[in-house]
Amino acid sequence: MVFASDDGEVIIGIDEDSDSSDEHLIAYNFKRDETIKIAKNTTDNILVSSNRREMLIGIDSKYYISINGGERIKVGNYSYLAPLLPRFTPYMGYCLSSAETFVGTMLVYCEDSTYSIGYIDESFEMQKVIKDVGSAHNIYMTDDNSAIYYIRSGNLYVAYLETNYESEKIASDVVSYKISQDGKEVYYVDSAETLFGLRNGEEKEIADDVHANSLDITLDDTVFFLSDYSDGC
């Protein structure tokens, strides 16, 4: 794994110690002509910001951030930490994130076996926004970051920025769901395999015998689903 920041000032890569054969995550800063050893290569995962200037690093259920190839800064003790991006569930691994910065970006974290949402402030401390969102999956945010949706114990909740992300239950018995870009339209399938639509607090039944995993919505808010699937249609 080798990558460079957008301006080419910093290069990040894995270096092997010739004496011990240990591998290390290192950064070389061309401007300062300096090499910094960030971590041993025993990381659970490494996520890189879109401009390749920040790294979110997980090591033994502890998370750190490194900016511009600098020394790592501890964020907290979490078994999971990943950005929450509009309408897409988080993903971790040795990969590039579409988040330009991890500071100030909404993150899903797991602390004491409970998944919650917060953000890293300028002092690199976690500011907690929503406690207990069920799991790291089935969480969506509107494109303008004004609302967050999640499922907990089969109930669908929404939390709005204008109310400091105070959670409100909007549907029960939810198996799967999707939202429009602006969050004004919500589609969900219940345990009876019925598809419903929600808009402005009003619920409308759309179809029966809907495969919950087939529900999807495109970037232009076109909804697709597979119905009558138990009859082979």
Side-chain angles (χ1 to χ4, degrees), residues 28 36 65 155 183 207:
Y28 177 72
I36 296 176
I65 191 168
N155 297 315

Side-chain angles (χ1 to χ4, degrees), residues 187 189 195 206-217 222-228:
Y187 302 87
V189 179
L195 174 63
I206 298 175
D208 294 320
D209 198 15
V210 175
H211 195 302
N213 293 332
S214 72
L215 182 62
D216 204 357
I217 186 168
T222 300
V223 180
F224 291 89
F225 57 92
L226 180 64
S227 64
D228 301 325

Side-chain angles (χ1 to χ4, degrees), residues 185-188 195-199 201-206:
E185 295 183 3
V186 180
Y187 302 87
Y188 75 89
L195 174 63
F196 294 90
L198 276 173
R199 183 177 179 85
E202 296 185 4
E203 185 178 80
K204 178 182 179 181
E205 185 175 327
I206 298 175

Side-chain angles (χ1 to χ4, degrees), residues 19-91:
D19 295 328
S20 64
S21 296
D22 290 337
E23 290 185 336
H24 303 280
L25 178 66
I26 65 167
Y28 177 72
N29 189 301
F30 284 96
K31 188 174 182 180
R32 300 196 301 262
D33 189 22
E34 179 183 17
T35 299
I36 296 176
K37 187 184 296 183
I38 299 174
K40 283 188 176 181
N41 190 25
T42 55
T43 57
D44 301 322
N45 43 60
I46 300 173
L47 191 63
V48 184
S49 63
S50 61
N51 60 12
R52 297 172 172 84
R53 299 193 68 87
E54 295 182 11
M55 286 189 299
L56 199 59
I57 308 164
I59 307 174
D60 297 329
S61 296
K62 299 178 179 65
Y63 274 84
Y64 305 85
I65 191 168
S66 172
I67 299 178
N68 295 331
E71 297 283 354
R72 71 190 192 205
I73 303 166
K74 186 177 179 180
V75 176
N77 297 334
Y78 308 111
S79 58
Y80 183 92
L81 184 63
L84 174 61
L85 302 173
R87 297 205 298 174
F88 295 94
T89 53
Y91 171 78

